[in-house]
């Protein structure tokens, strides 16, 4: 595990895929992945606090995680100045594939999600009806920056459930397309909250 501390506020961690495998990482076991992730974050915070006088345990923080196949896991922990900087109900979402699927049980959740999303990030998402639910497919290729992709996924995760049992190929084949592209932009335009 490689770790870098900058501005006494941000910890950047990289865990190569070989080390993740040694630690028991299994991308198909979400519960085990979260447990490993929590362990890695605790390990980094304790190390930073004991060696760098890093006040990690006393302050709120935001954690962002990205797994890149054949490379490893990138984790960024940012200490926040105060509680107001945190977003209520914010979740960490681990995105591993080029496409990530999110299931919305209700269209109203989609409209609220689109309304909450920053306007510059709404030009993303494909929307389908599949198995009596609404499925949004987020593609990394829709974003010029990895951070934007992670931010959109975190917002979407507040309103939807990450779908790991179904692939985008299945949804493309058997689902009905509602918006081929820029789904959040179209939803916000057509159904303003």
């Amino acid at each position: 595990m490689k770790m870098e501390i900058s501005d006494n506020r941000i910890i950047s961690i990289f865990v190569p895929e070989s080390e993740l495998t040694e630690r028991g990482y299994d991308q198909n076991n979400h519960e085990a992945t979260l447990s490993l992730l929590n362990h890695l974050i605790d390990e980094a915070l304790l190390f930073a606090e004991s060696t760098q006088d890093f006040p990690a345990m006393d302050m709120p923080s935001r954690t962002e995680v990205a797994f890149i196949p054949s490379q490893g896991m990138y984790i960024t922990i940012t200490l926040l100045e105060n509680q107001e900087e945190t977003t209520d109900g914010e979740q960490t979402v681990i995105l591993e594939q080029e496409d990530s699927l999110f299931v919305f049980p209700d269209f109203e959740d989609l409209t609220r999600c689109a309304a909450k999303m920053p306007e510059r990030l709404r030009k993303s998402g494909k929307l389908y009806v599949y198995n009596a639910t609404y499925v949004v497919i987020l593609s990394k290729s829709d974003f010029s920056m990895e951070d934007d992709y992670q931010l959109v996924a975190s917002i979407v995760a507040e309103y939807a459930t990450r779908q790991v049992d179904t692939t985008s190929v299945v949804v493309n084949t058997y689902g009905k397309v509602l918006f081929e592209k820029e789904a959040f932009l179209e939803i916000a335009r057509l159904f303003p909250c």
Side-chain angles (χ1 to χ4, degrees):
M1 179 166 71
K2 295 178 183 174
M3 183 167 56
E4 181 181 313
I5 300 173
S6 53
D7 299 333
N8 212 27
R9 183 182 162 98
I10 299 170
I11 303 175
S12 299
I13 305 163
F14 171 69
V15 186
E17 195 168 44
S18 57
E19 185 177 339
L20 287 172
T21 303
E22 286 173 23
R23 289 176 178 248
Y25 174 73
D26 178 4
Q27 68 180 18
N28 298 317
N29 187 337
H30 193 63
E31 201 170 294
T33 298
L34 288 177
S35 176
L36 173 62
L37 183 58
N38 286 332
H39 181 74
L40 290 170
I41 291 167
D42 288 346
E43 197 177 303
L45 289 175
L46 286 170
F47 179 79
E49 197 167 61
S50 63
T51 61
Q52 303 287 322
D53 193 30
F54 195 79
M57 299 301 183
D58 301 330
M59 297 178 71
S61 62
R62 180 180 65 239
T63 303
E64 298 167 76
V65 180
F67 176 78
I68 304 192
S70 76
Q71 288 186 31
M73 188 177 286
Y74 294 86
I75 305 169
T76 304
I77 305 166
T78 306
L79 294 186
L80 305 175
E81 289 298 323
N82 52 50
Q83 202 64 38
E84 282 74 47
E85 285 187 48
T86 62
T87 304
D88 291 339
E90 188 171 288
Q91 299 179 30
T92 299
V93 179
I94 302 170
L95 300 177
E96 297 161 351
Q97 293 90 19
E98 278 299 308
D99 292 334
S100 295
L101 283 67
F102 294 89
V103 177
F104 291 80
D106 192 275
F107 193 80
E108 192 174 308
D109 294 326
L110 263 168
T111 60
R112 288 201 309 264
C113 179
K116 182 172 180 179
M117 198 170 292
E119 198 167 325
R120 68 183 179 85
L121 299 178
R122 287 181 184 161
K123 292 185 176 181
S124 61
K126 297 178 185 176
L127 178 62
Y128 295 81
V129 173
Y130 175 73
N131 278 354
T133 60
Y134 298 95
V135 178
V136 168
I137 298 178
L138 288 181
S139 298
K140 281 188 181 179
S141 58
D142 289 345
F143 302 90
S144 56
M145 294 171 45
E146 175 76 21
D147 287 351
D148 287 347
Y149 180 51
Q150 296 291 335
L151 176 59
V152 168
S154 293
I155 293 169
V156 172
E158 292 177 35
Y159 299 91
T161 304
R162 174 98 191 276
Q163 177 62 266
V164 292
D165 301 337
T166 309
T167 65
S168 56
V169 174
V170 171
V171 175
N172 277 319
T173 306
Y174 300 106
K176 179 181 178 184
V177 180
L178 295 181
F179 294 108
E180 182 62 41
K181 60 181 182 175
E182 300 181 354
F184 293 113
L185 183 68
E186 292 301 318
I187 290 166
R189 183 177 65 82
L190 296 169
F191 308 95
C193 287

